[in-house]
Amino acid sequence: MARHRPPSFSMLREMHVHNRKKLQNAMAEKLESIGQRLAGVVLLQGGEERYRDCTDHLELFRQESFFAYLFGVREPGFYAAIDIATGQSILFVPRLDPDYAVWLGEIHPPSFFKEKYGVDAAYYVDEMVSVLRKFDASLYLLHGLNTDSNRYCKPATFQGIEGFEQDTKVLHPVLSECRVIKSELELELLRYVNEVSSAAHVKVMRSAQPGLKEYQLESTFQHYCYMEGGCRECSYTCICATGENSAVLHYGHAAAPNDQIASDGAMALLDMGAEYHFYGSDITCSFPVNGKFTEKQRLIYTGVLEAQKAVISKMKPGISWVAMHKLAETKILEALKTAGCLKGNVEDMMENRLGAVFMPHGLGHFLGLDTHDPGGYPQGMSRINERGLVSLRTVRTLEAGMLITVEPGCYFIDAVLDPALEDPVLSRFLNREAIDKFRGFGGVRLEDDVIVTSDGCENLTNCPREISDVEDVMAGGPWPRT
Amino acid sequence: MARHRPPSFSMLREMHVHNRKKLQNAMAEKLESIGQRLAGVVLLQGGEERYRDCTDHLELFRQESFFAYLFGVREPGFYAAIDIATGQSILFVPRLDPDYAVWLGEIHPPSFFKEKYGVDAAYYVDEMVSVLRKFDASLYLLHGLNTDSNRYCKPATFQGIEGFEQDTKVLHPVLSECRVIKSELELELLRYVNEVSSAAHVKVMRSAQPGLKEYQLESTFQHYCYMEGGCRECSYTCICATGENSAVLHYGHAAAPNDQIASDGAMALLDMGAEYHFYGSDITCSFPVNGKFTEKQRLIYTGVLEAQKAVISKMKPGISWVAMHKLAETKILEALKTAGCLKGNVEDMMENRLGAVFMPHGLGHFLGLDTHDPGGYPQGMSRINERGLVSLRTVRTLEAGMLITVEPGCYFIDAVLDPALEDPVLSRFLNREAIDKFRGFGGVRLEDDVIVTSDGCENLTNCPREISDVEDVMAGGPWPRT
Ligand SMILES: [Mn+2]
Ligand SMILES: [Mn+2]
């Protein structure tokens, strides 16, 4: 009955088999390159269910992403191993209390999960030590820095681990890199979540009207994704901002919960994406709540759209992401100059990093099992310590198979504008009166999910972007165009 | 634009003022009763935002319930205090990084939160030690057992706490007891979430039809609650079970995610409730997916309905909840006897605790800021170690102001039936052939949220319950009846 048809579970299982094979090959290559023998077992610990504070309120479990990438296991409390030499994959299943059958459902034996997830063997968690002993080799555990959160993931741990040789250095960079380059099977899934999310955005655009609460747009989005696409969760908390809220980059959290009224004449900036089987999407649409762009809205929107189109037209293997960020800045600065907000030479502005005043975030980020997928800064690569560029979540050169968001934005943020107007260098370019007219305007962001191909790129997102398309779809016109 | 009108924020603020006053009085009374001087400061630590695993994926923050009860604070990272002698209330606000303004929104000073939450004073968290020192008194910290989760809540902690006298024994039972008896203002809010959730259940009933996925019913419920009632979250993960899944009491979690197809001829059991401003609802409807009861469905449903009606008709102050549980069991056993599943004398069955074979859970639980609200087993009261009764979340005598769910159920659970059929005592009552005909039937549960009044009770839930009403509403008839 749903409008969209998700990938089959057997396709998803195959995808994880492929992900494991890829890791096995990459680990073998790595061990060879550092002169270690082809032996050892990759061991990961899956996530655990959590309760809210001291209560028995069980939070909906979502598997840890590295574990999900390799095994696709939806249940909590698992461990899993891959033997690097042979590729043999093993799941370790928690032994459940008989009460589970009454409260939570049928209790399945390890053989059930072996079949379900397509691994080579499955045992109970309490058999793990004896099973792992047979391999007589080091455990490669996952430990490393997430460069978006600046926090480290925790290596697997279990009673008896002290009896094994452990390595916590080799695995993380290798596994992170596997996730950076998407396979054809992953792409199929990623296309699906983008298809659902794009259609949901269109649904929301058509429902928008002055007087609605922002959360009603959020609810409309979530309902479409779940009802028509089977996506139970979003990749991240929906950002449903209208008016000046659209200048708050991560609006929508508990302290600013999408609860304002969308007013006539305001812009909406909706950053929302569905997740399916752990893989997410990340899409932003900006449009006038009442369906018709004002002249001011048109000026800013056009700058952002030109930036997005310019970047996507250039994306292909070998292109520097930093160059793309700068290209987007240039387009936005040009539009702001046209709008009368800026004066002077755009090249000078770029040299003085003026772009960051209007786009304080990076142009985009890797996307996959996490909204900010890992691998943006592999070992040896580091952030560029310049205004705006420091916010980039990656500075890598594009490669085929990278999925990256292209999300230029232009915002009028008092907390950024006021210091800039006081800054002796930046203020030279700023036309205070014109800028003041945009105070309270909020911002515009356009975000598409784009995969780099062998000779260019493919845009997975399909939302109305041209002003004429946005106005037409909001007036009830068809989408996609046929 | 929403169909339901939530309580105003100023009413909610007043509710929390009242909650604090109630605690102050209760603490004063307690201190007097144990011969301690009327002095000291209640200090609570609010919840913190959490990230998913090692990533920067921020989970939507939901305040810890005790903190929410007293202060209604929606933002993370707070502390709060109440001076027991004077009732003075103080919020301690985290000092935010200037970057917050760009990413997460306007940074407000303590005075903003003093006004917003109606406390007497507000400071920064880093001023807490010096502010608390002025009181020159013990800190009463929250530490105690949650009798549903069997886990302890963690007392507040901060740098410098070692300089204060601390008591972790007095506060928890007093504060838990405050939450047990609902005030008129709390009731207003609880009526609201019940109104929204009841209407959402009716919406779902009308949308149900064979061929839908269970999660489409869940999505319909959530969308109604958010879109029409402003309820962003549900009180708990939706249990959307059809067919034999309805015998899994807590179906719907990640390992059994409401993903089966609702089939023609099956029953649906939908246990779902919205939350608004931290207060929840907990409602279960059971109905045939195709809108028409079969004879078998009618037999079981009638037993559960008779149980629910019998209990609600008896509820008033002074009544024992254990007696209500047994009353419900009796009604269900009678219906099962009528259905031919049981033979013998119902009194004998009761004496042998046969009811627990078909209703393995307790009749109901306190409800409020948590779905299983605290206070079910105050100090000195303990579980009854008999089959079925051991599952009761409270064994208390009813008092005016208690909000409790009335949720009798009747299930055919292989994991319970098979051992019962082998049991020499229980099997005497069981008619194996008749019971086998109900294998795969699943179960029926009807759950209303009922407040005990001075001379009876008030049912906050308003869903179709009579078979004729259910069939009529599912066929498009009006609800509520007028
Ligand atoms: Mn993004
Ligand atoms: Mn309940």
Side-chain angles (χ1 to χ4, degrees), chain A residues 236 239 250 271 281-284 362-367 371-372 393 405-407 445 447-449:
Chain A
Y236 51 91
I239 299 169
H250 284 171
D271 187 344
S281 58
D282 184 3
I283 298 175
T284 309
L363 174 63
H365 50 84
F366 293 145
L367 169 66
T371 303
H372 299 149
R393 295 184 185 276
T405 65
V406 181
E407 48 175 313
R445 177 164 67 250
E447 179 174 24
D448 285 351
D449 302 341

Side-chain angles (χ1 to χ4, degrees), chain B residues 204 208 212-221 240 270 272:
Chain B
V204 170
L212 286 182
K213 292 272 200 163
E214 294 162 341
Y215 66 69
Q216 293 182 303
L217 305 174
E218 177 184 8
S219 187
T220 301
F221 181 85
C240 287
L270 309 184
M272 317 186 284

Side-chain angles (χ1 to χ4, degrees), chain A residues 81-99:
Chain A
I82 299 170
D83 179 40
I84 298 170
T86 66
Q88 198 199 355
S89 56
I90 309 170
L91 276 185
F92 298 99
V93 178
R95 206 184 285 270
L96 302 170
D97 189 89
D99 251 18

Side-chain angles (χ1 to χ4, degrees), chain B residues 129 133 137 139 158-166:
Chain B
V129 170
R133 253 197 220 310
L139 300 181
F158 58 89
Q159 245 189 345
I161 196 171
E162 61 284 354
F164 294 87
E165 240 181 86
Q166 299 158 45

Side-chain angles (χ1 to χ4, degrees), chain A residues 223-415:
Chain A
H223 182 48
Y224 185 95
C225 293
Y226 201 10
M227 189 80 184
E228 306 295 348
C231 301
R232 192 177 202 181
E233 298 195 72
C234 283
S235 325
Y236 51 91
T237 299
C238 290
I239 299 169
C240 288
T242 61
E244 59 185 328
N245 299 329
S246 55
V248 177
L249 303 181
H250 284 171
Y251 187 73
H253 56 99
N258 299 332
D259 60 355
Q260 301 302 301
I261 289 172
S263 60
D264 204 359
M267 285 294 284
L269 183 161
L270 308 185
D271 187 344
M272 316 186 283
E275 175 174 308
Y276 191 86
H277 191 73
F278 311 116
Y279 283 73
S281 58
D282 184 3
I283 298 175
T284 309
C285 293
S286 296
F287 53 84
V289 170
N290 65 16
K292 277 285 174 195
F293 283 83
T294 65
E295 194 48 38
K296 271 161 79 183
Q297 290 167 349
R298 192 178 286 269
L299 282 164
I300 305 303
Y301 186 94
T302 301
V304 176
L305 180 59
E306 289 305 316
Q308 197 191 38
K309 284 158 72 173
V311 168
I312 293 175
S313 75
K314 287 268 184 304
M315 283 171 67
K316 64 175 182 183
I319 291 288
S320 141
W321 191 242
V322 179
M324 292 298 96
H325 179 89
K326 289 181 174 170
L327 173 58
E329 284 183 329
T330 304
K331 294 292 178 183
I332 289 163
L333 291 172
E334 282 168 1
L336 286 166
K337 195 173 160 183
T338 305
C341 294
L342 302 182
K343 53 198 178 195
N345 185 301
V346 170
E347 273 171 49
D348 289 348
M349 298 176 198
M350 285 297 293
E351 227 156 80
N352 288 287
R353 307 287 327 118
L354 186 71
V357 172
F358 298 94
M359 180 167 85
H361 59 72
L363 174 63
H365 50 84
F366 293 145
L367 169 66
L369 294 108
D370 292 314
T371 303
H372 299 149
D373 230 25
Y377 289 92
Q379 286 165 349
M381 212 175 269
S382 57
R383 291 193 183 243
I384 299 169
N385 199 14
E386 288 181 47
R387 195 198 301 263
L389 302 181
V390 75
S391 298
L392 278 166
R393 295 184 185 276
T394 185
V395 293
R396 290 177 68 163
T397 297
L398 297 181
E399 296 171 42
M402 286 178 171
L403 177 63
I404 196 160
T405 65
V406 181
E407 48 175 313
C410 178
Y411 316 87
F412 295 86
I413 306 171
D414 293 340

Side-chain angles (χ1 to χ4, degrees), chain A residues 7 11-12 15-16 18-19 62 65-66 68-72 178-179 181-183 185-194 197 231 233-235 273-282 367-371 373 403, chain B residues 52:
Chain A
M11 183 299 256
L12 298 173
M15 177 184 80
H16 295 294
H18 183 274
N19 291 349
R62 198 273 194 187
S65 292
F66 283 109
Y69 173 76
L70 289 176
F71 298 94
C178 287
R179 285 176 59 184
I181 306 297
K182 270 68 183 179
S183 71
L185 290 164
E186 286 179 287
L187 257 180
E188 210 171 301
L189 173 52
L190 287 160
R191 280 193 193 97
Y192 177 73
V193 277
N194 244 278
S197 306
C231 301
E233 298 195 72
C234 283
S235 325
E275 175 174 308
Y276 191 86
H277 191 73
F278 311 116
Y279 283 73
S281 58
D282 184 3
L367 169 66
L369 294 108
D370 292 314
T371 303
D373 230 25
L403 177 63
Chain B
R52 189 172 73 202

Side-chain angles (χ1 to χ4, degrees), chain B residues 271 282 365 372 405 407 447:
Chain B
D271 186 344
D282 183 3
H365 50 83
H372 299 149
T405 65
E407 47 175 314
E447 179 174 25

